[in-house]
Amino acid sequence: MDRPFAAAHRPPRRPWAWAVWFAASQALVAALWWRYGWAAGLASLMASHAAMFWGTLWPRSRLFGPVLSRLPTAERAVWLTIDDGPSADTEAMLDLLDAHRAKATFFVVAERAERHAGLLREIVRRGHEVGNHSHSHPSAWFWALGPRAMAREIGEAQQRLAALLPQPPRWFRAVVGMANPFTAAPLRRHGLSRVAWSARGFDAVEADPDKVVARIERDLAPGAIVLMHEGSGHGRNLEAMKRLLARLDELGYRCVLPEARADA
C-alpha cells in the first residue's frame, strides 16, 4: 500500500450532545407517566437509564462520543495496544517487540510514567507510541467519576505526559474501557481520541498464556485492535506477549501503529 492507514482520530465534536438526548428522554418519560400512568412511566424511566448505563459500561459504545475499536483496513495488520505501564515488564516487552519487528501503543498511567520516565523515553526511542490511560488508574470507580474528577484524571495525565514526551498523546483509553457521559468534554479539550479494542485475552487476570492467545485469535481480523497488559499481579504478561507475537507471525499478521504506512 502507498497510503497511510485511516486511523479515524476523532476527538468528540459535541461532548454534551448526550445531555440534550437525556433531557428529551426524561420529558418523554414525564409525558408517558402523565398520559398512561405510573406503569408506563416507570418502564420508560428504567429504559432511559438502562441506555445510560449501557453507554457507560460497554467499551465500544458510541452513545457519548466516537470510539475507535478497529482500524479500517483489509490488510493482515493489527494495532497492538499495551495497558497499565510503565512497569517492571516494559523493557522486556520492548525487546520482544523488537525481536518481532512489531510496533505497539503503550497506554500508560501518568503517575507510573513519572516514576519511570526513562522507560517512557525508551518506548518512544524504539519507535512505539504512548497513549493516555488516566492519571491514577482508579479501576474500581473510573466509570462513576463526576465531571470535575473525570477532567482531572484525563487532563492531569495529559499535562504530565506531555511534559515527559516529545509530543503529547493523541489517543486515550478509558480505565477498564468504561467511559461515562463526562469523558467526552476533556477528550475534546485535549484533542484526544478514545480507543477501545476488538480482540482481548483478559491477560490482566488470566495467568495461562495459551488461553490468552486462544481468546485473542478467535477475534483476530484485519484491522483488529488487540488489548494486552503489562505488570499484572500474576507475573505472566511477558509469556503471553511472547506467544501472541509468535502466533501473529505464523498467521501473517503485522503489528503496526494506526497511522504508519502499510509497507513500512
Side-chain angles (χ1 to χ4, degrees):
M1 296 245 333
D2 60 358
R3 64 177 180 81
F5 283 113
H9 180 269
R10 294 177 57 203
R13 295 178 59 191
R14 300 177 181 86
W16 298 105
W18 66 269
V20 176
W21 171 87
F22 187 68
S25 73
Q26 299 315 288
L28 178 61
V29 167
L32 290 173
W33 203 306
W34 177 79
R35 178 66 178 82
Y36 297 106
W38 70 268
L42 183 60
S44 60
L45 180 67
M46 293 178 65
S48 65
H49 283 70
M52 297 291 286
F53 274 105
W54 173 83
T56 297
L57 303 180
W58 179 242
R60 300 179 201 172
S61 168
R62 299 181 181 182
L63 185 62
F64 306 128
V67 57
L68 185 63
S69 58
R70 66 182 316 108
L71 296 178
T73 180
E75 295 187 59
R76 292 179 78 81
V78 300
W79 183 9
L80 178 60
T81 63
I82 304 169
D83 284 12
D84 295 354
S87 73
D89 291 342
T90 302
E91 194 162 2
M93 285 278 188
L94 291 170
D95 291 341
L96 283 173
L97 293 168
D98 285 351
H100 290 267
R101 301 181 64 186
K103 297 301 181 184
T105 298
F106 288 74
F107 283 94
V108 303
V109 179
E111 279 186 345
R112 299 168 191 172
E114 286 188 314
R115 293 196 299 268
H116 303 286
L119 290 175
L120 203 68
R121 289 191 291 269
E122 186 67 5
I123 289 170
V124 175
R125 188 188 73 79
R126 297 210 202 181
H128 306 285
E129 192 174 36
V130 172
N132 182 331
H133 193 40
S134 82
H135 173 63
S136 64
H137 200 268
S139 56
W141 43 270
F142 182 85
W143 67 274
L145 292 179
R148 290 185 181 179
M150 182 66 74
R152 282 196 302 271
E153 277 293 329
I154 296 173
E156 192 165 346
Q158 189 72 358
Q159 180 181 15
R160 297 191 182 203
L161 292 174
L164 297 170
L165 294 166
Q167 296 179 340
R170 301 178 70 239
W171 307 101
F172 172 78
R173 174 163 285 151
V175 179
V176 201
M178 298 177 185
N180 72 23
F182 307 119
T183 307
L187 293 186
R188 175 177 171 79
R189 188 175 307 123
H190 297 286
L192 289 162
S193 181
R194 185 161 69 92
V195 181
W197 56 82
S198 56
R200 68 181 300 187
F202 295 92
D203 63 316
V205 294
E206 175 58 68
D208 186 337
D210 290 330
K211 291 182 179 179
V212 169
V213 174
R215 286 170 177 157
I216 291 173
E217 189 171 343
R218 286 198 294 267
D219 294 319
L220 273 182
I225 298 178
V226 180
L227 170 61
M228 295 290 283
H229 294 82
E230 59 174 301
S232 298
H234 55 66
R236 303 192 71 183
N237 290 139
L238 288 170
E239 293 177 65
M241 180 63 77
K242 183 177 181 179
R243 297 192 192 191
L244 174 63
L245 291 170
R247 186 59 178 150
L248 290 172
D249 286 346
E250 291 171 2
L251 295 171
Y253 280 95
R254 295 178 303 111
C255 299
V256 300
L257 296 179
E259 292 175 330
R261 289 185 177 274
D263 54 1

